[in-house]
Amino acid sequence: MSALSRFEAFMENIVEGSVARLFRSPVQPAEIAKRLERAMEANQTVSVRRILVPNYYRAFLNPQDFEAFKPIRTEVEREMATYLAELAQERRFSMVEHPRVELVADAGVPRRTIQVVAETHAAPAAPHQVGDTQVIPAQVAAAPAARARLLLATPTGTHVIPLDSTSMTIGRGLNNDIVLEDARVSRNHAQLRYKSRRFWLTDLGSTNGTFVNGEPITERALRDGDVISLGGLELTFRHMDR
């Protein structure tokens, strides 16, 4: 049975007595579930070995439509979250933690309309096996006057991380421009800045340190071929003038 079929079966089982009016509402639970699915599909972030999708969803309804859901709101929100978790598993998507769904009344939403906002809320860092590294590269503009990239060796081959901004942060936290999900990397580990026609690497007070060619650094200008170590995770810096 698919995730959607299980969700619909759940809704049929709990709707009885006074809550039967829910199915006479212009907005049906399955319709909300499908809107949540579309929001999940539309907000994918592709990394080295997984596709990350949001884990926090809010479905905004007109207050009159929202009223019909109030008797079983908690059960519906919980089951919709389970539906999204199962759907993500079916499609081999990843989330930073179990999804959460909220139904929200909003007078600005027209009747019979559903508006969904999907976001990723970072979970506390979980332990990773050494070498089990995920990468979410930066998606930025304002390319510097040089072509540069970081090369990361992965089990599936070399992953290329383009350096196409004048300032980029690197770390395990999702707020960074370049996300390296590895236990050795601090949440906010280092920063890359392009100035005076060179890239400079600065340690941001990381736990395990930042090294260039085996030497610990606080700040250092990079050269083509330099090997950067972020607490033991190694990347090669490549730089070619235009």
Side-chain angles (χ1 to χ4, degrees), residues 52-64:
L52 186 70
V53 293
N55 62 297
Y56 179 46
Y57 299 78
R58 286 174 290 167
F60 295 89
L61 306 174
N62 181 274
Q64 294 183 53

Side-chain angles (χ1 to χ4, degrees), residues 12 15 33 37 43 50 53 58 78 83 162 170 178 182 185:
E12 290 174 1
V15 173
E37 175 187 348
N43 291 275
R50 69 174 183 173
V53 293
R58 286 174 290 167
R78 182 172 59 246
Y83 161 67
I170 307 172
I178 301 173
D182 188 288
V185 178

